Amino acid sequence: MRTVVTVFSLLLPTLLLLVDFACAQPVNTTSSDEYEYIVVGSGPGGGTLASRLARAGHKTLLIEAGDDQSANLNVTVPGYMAAVTEDKKLRWDIFVNHYKDQQRAQRDPKYVWETSPFEYHVGPGAPDGAEPRGILYPRAQTIGGCGTHNALIWILPHESDWNNIAGITGDSSWSAANMKQYEQKVFSWLHTQPTDPTILINDLSLAQQYVAGAAAAGIGPDPINAVTGLVNLLLNDPNSQINPQRDSTEGFFQVPLTMNAGTRTGVYQLIKETVKQGYPLTVQTNTFVTKIVIDQSNSTAPPKATGVEFQKGKYLYRASPLSVQKNPSTAGSAKATREVIVSGGAYNTPQLLKLSGIGPKQELEQFKIPVIKDLQGVGKNLQDRYEIPVNVQHTKDFNILKGCTFDSKPHDQCLKQWQNNPYILGQRGAYATNGLAAAIVKRSSYASDSNTDLIIFGGPVNFDGYYPGWAEHAIADHKHFSWYTLKAHTRNHAGTVELRSADPFDPPSVNFNYFDTGTTENGADQLDLQAIVQAINTSRSALAEYSHYGLLGGPPFTEEAPGPAVQTEAELQDYVKDRAWGHHASCTTPIGSDNDPNAVLDGQFRVRGVDGLRVVDASVFPQIPGVFIQAPIYIISEKAADVILSAAK
Ligand SMILES: Cc1cc2nc3c(=O)[nH]c(=O)nc-3n(C[C@H](O)[C@H](O)[C@H](O)COP(=O)(O)OP(=O)(O)OC[C@H]3O[C@@H](n4cnc5c(N)ncnc54)[C@H](O)[C@@H]3O)c2cc1C
Ligand SMILES: *[C@@H]1O[C@H](CO)[C@@H](O)[C@H](O)[C@H]1NC(C)=O
Ligand SMILES: *[C@@H]1O[C@H](CO)[C@@H](O)[C@H](O)[C@H]1NC(C)=O
Ligand SMILES: *[C@@H]1O[C@H](CO)[C@@H](O)[C@H](O)[C@H]1NC(C)=O
Ligand SMILES: *[C@@H]1O[C@H](CO)[C@@H](O)[C@H](O)[C@H]1NC(C)=O
């Protein structure tokens, strides 16, 4: 670890400040370690919270299944945002069902078969004996969680997302007006910035696609001044702090990224800084929590979380491709004198609660897990967005990608440019962006309120969802361009996360129950579907506008996906139902009102019926917030810190 850090430090002097790290200190895992707070999972939810608790002077243990990857170029270089999701050192391959009916699920060409451990076949024609697995859902085990391998996109939630929680809980501290302070707290340590427009305007074909997108959004610049027009449009900030109508404003926007001077930012940096500055934060990596220890000895009080049991070892969770090495592990435990906070993410948090005896009684009994608290809502209410692309192939390469091989090998010219240049006037080049620099934002005709519900990103990639090898496919050549949509405010809340076994290293069974197999009340599934079809239509209008900006000289292209054969409303709907995907899994241990039998948490993140136990991560939302999810998670984590610190007084 030390050697790796040193080598990369020479290449990246700016990171030098961050590399001295507590996980390199020996940690005594044998027994009797005692802390005030124990936080399980170091993603945007847990990492932010643990840092805050320690900064307030509380002895805090942050336990993380993965290790420190902050010197890994796949992490630091924004241009490697696809490659990093396939990096074995971080990746967890979780397989999910969009549809329980496997025949229907297999209509998706992204459906995966496992031919031998962690070797996959994608799509029809799997060899005999291959195991059907489902749809790949990338997750990360590392300091910073999925915030360390995600696509960096930073978009604040809508005000209605907060006001809804205030309404459900009757707790006005959740109001959008009050949540602003937590947003500001995140901004005090997390640097964000959009892609530098000068990187884009070096590529006139790309600029031509973008101005065409703006035209489809109704604000296309005059073709004669297209480039200046584009630069002006890229000043449009979807996170505007001054536009009171922000949440309902349609148009064409820059895409803010968790990035500083062209290098990825994330909670991993806050965690490391917190340790480095001497706050009482112990970060225990390569440690997998198997159970929350719950004391039931006081018959007149609710059960109380008093600590955790874990196994210390590398790549223990069987979603890690490196788990095949069967690394040794040793058992251990730690005590929390105040509280245990679970922040394992939308899949692992419900799994860990259930393994610890908190969840639907009938499911726990099926696996002979002693029931401590029958909470029916644990692992229900799983939500996500729906995503779909329109992809075209140009006859010529995009200039911006010249020399980019995306593999951090010596021939990677774009990496050289990124490493050898300061971040001024876009000199770090194509790798100082995630490639998705701008987006069309729209309110579909099927939205249930005044907020926008479609965000359509444009970028020079061939992105068609997640499957093993998706990253190589997305950047295999330099000729593809994608307009790809995320549908916000989806109505489906019928997903589930259920135990497969009582073995903590077995990933759970995840069923999203898409469209007509999920929430259908009041035509919910059709409304979502039609909105997405409308987004495909908008993407196609953007492509149709391209020729109006022929002065920029971009080459012609042909549509590959959905492709010319997919035209009628029925064809488009089938295409979406078969191929849509998501990557913002959430809402699996929701906050809810006192009279909601499926509420898992109260408005203060407390697990109902168990003392000393909270959840702080993507699982807490009653409804999936905003258009992107990391910002709301960081914000709720700042709120949770405030709530917990007030309670400690
Ligand atoms: C490919 C991809 C791209 C994405 N891009 C974006 C984007 O551009 N913008 C955006 O807003 N969102 C994006 N997201 C989503 C976002 O990154 C996640 O929703 C967010 O990181 C979730 O935060 P979390 O704290 O809930 O959980 P996570 O980030 O999943 O963190 C949970 C952590 O807990 C650890 N853990 C789990 N169980 C245990 C256990 N039992 N013991 C010890 N440790 C445990 C895990 O190792 C992990 O590090 C993306 C997600 C993916 C997969
Ligand atoms: C762990 O801590 C205990 C109690 O403080 C001590 O007796 C033991 O030697 C320590 N073990 C290691 C491996 O450091
Ligand atoms: C980055 O990830 C890819 C897999 O996508 C892997 O082949 C490569 O070795 C990783 N690079 C580094 C620097 O770890
Ligand atoms: C048991 O719980 C009751 C009620 O919360 C409390 O008053 C009492 O002190 C507890 N007893 C012990 C031994 O902790
Ligand atoms: C999308 O476009 C197709 C083809 O032009 C049209 O038939 C359909 O009604 C449109 N759908 C929506 C929801 O806009």
Side-chain angles (χ1 to χ4, degrees), residues 35 80 120 172 252 277 280 286 302 315 344 388 401 466 507 519 579 647:
Y35 299 85
Y80 289 160
Y120 303 114
S172 63
F252 191 76
Q277 290 171 23
N286 293 317
Y315 316 115
I388 203 79
L401 300 178
Y466 301 108
T519 308
R579 306 202 188 204

Side-chain angles (χ1 to χ4, degrees), residues 27-33:
V27 177
N28 186 334
T29 63
T30 47
S31 68
S32 74
D33 282 349

Side-chain angles (χ1 to χ4, degrees), residues 295 297-302 611:
D295 180 2
S297 62
N298 187 337
S299 58
T300 60
D611 283 351

Side-chain angles (χ1 to χ4, degrees), residues 251-561:
F252 191 76
F253 291 89
Q254 57 168 246
V255 178
L257 303 175
T258 49
M259 183 169 90
N260 188 7
T263 297
R264 181 193 289 268
T265 57
V267 70
Y268 63 96
Q269 289 153 325
L270 177 70
I271 297 167
K272 297 179 64 151
E273 275 299 301
T274 304
V275 171
K276 193 170 161 238
Q277 290 171 23
Y279 295 107
L281 178 63
T282 302
V283 182
Q284 191 169 316
T285 53
N286 293 317
T287 302
F288 196 87
V289 173
T290 51
K291 197 176 171 186
I292 305 156
V293 179
I294 299 173
D295 180 2
Q296 299 183 88
S297 62
N298 187 337
S299 58
T300 60
K304 184 178 189 315
T306 57
V308 296
E309 290 175 3
F310 52 74
Q311 290 283 331
K312 192 162 169 54
K314 294 181 84 145
Y315 316 115
L316 300 179
Y317 202 44
R318 278 186 216 106
S320 166
L322 298 177
S323 66
V324 290
Q325 298 169 358
K326 305 222 183 308
N327 294 293
S329 71
T330 50
S333 64
K335 284 196 182 121
T337 56
R338 289 181 186 271
E339 295 191 23
V340 174
I341 298 106
V342 184
S343 305
Y347 300 149
N348 292 84
T349 287
Q351 182 181 17
L352 182 58
L353 289 180
K354 287 178 183 183
L355 291 171
S356 310
I358 302 163
K361 188 169 182 278
Q362 61 286 12
E363 185 183 346
L364 304 190
E365 282 170 350
Q366 188 191 333
F367 296 105
K368 304 196 164 47
I369 298 167
V371 180
I372 290 179
K373 177 68 195 171
D374 176 18
L375 267 186
Q376 290 293 318
V378 177
K380 296 201 180 83
N381 194 48
L382 170 65
Q383 297 176 41
D384 207 337
R385 310 190 200 290
Y386 291 119
E387 303 175 34
I388 203 79
V390 175
N391 292 346
V392 300
Q393 184 173 18
H394 283 212
T395 55
K396 290 192 187 130
D397 282 1
F398 281 101
N399 252 339
I400 187 178
L401 300 178
K402 194 162 184 220
C404 303
T405 54
F406 296 96
D407 58 1
S408 55
K409 295 203 171 122
H411 63 175
D412 194 342
Q413 295 303 319
C414 295
L415 177 61
K416 282 207 183 99
Q417 188 182 356
W418 185 86
Q419 287 174 322
N420 296 339
N421 285 286
Y423 188 75
I424 36 168
L425 291 173
Q427 283 180 38
R428 293 189 93 174
Y431 283 180
T433 164
N434 69 348
L436 303 168
I440 302 167
V441 173
K442 232 180 112 74
R443 182 181 172 280
S444 77
S445 314
Y446 310 94
S448 42
D449 58 26
S450 62
N451 292 334
T452 57
D453 64 338
L454 298 174
I455 183 157
I456 308 173
F457 293 89
V461 291
N462 192 11
F463 183 42
D464 51 7
Y466 301 108
Y467 47 88
W470 80 272
E472 287 85 351
H473 175 82
I475 51 197
D477 63 53
H478 294 171
K479 293 187 168 63
H480 282 82
F481 181 86
S482 171
W483 282 115
Y484 110 90
T485 296
L486 268 80
K487 164 77 181 82
H489 302 297
T490 41
R491 296 163 174 90
N492 189 4
H493 50 85
T496 58
V497 177
E498 291 164 313
L499 295 178
R500 238 180 252 279
S501 77
D503 181 342
F505 301 130
D506 245 359
S509 161
V510 179
N511 285 288
F512 278 93
N513 301 315
Y514 268 17
F515 297 108
D516 48 297
T517 66
T519 308
T520 54
E521 288 104 69
N522 303 317
D525 54 319
Q526 270 298 315
L527 290 168
D528 282 350
L529 188 55
Q530 283 168 302
I532 304 164
V533 168
Q534 200 172 32
I536 294 180
N537 287 357
T538 302
S539 303
R540 283 178 165 168
S541 327
L543 295 168
E545 295 284 349
Y546 181 83
S547 58
H548 297 154
Y549 293 93
L551 276 176
L552 292 172
F557 57 77
T558 46
E559 182 180 312
E560 290 189 341

Side-chain angles (χ1 to χ4, degrees), residues 8 72-74 82-89 407-408 471-472:
F8 283 115
N72 182 336
L73 284 171
N74 277 335
V84 68
T85 67
E86 302 211 314
D87 189 328
K88 287 183 182 171
K89 301 185 285 301
D407 58 1
S408 55
E472 287 85 351

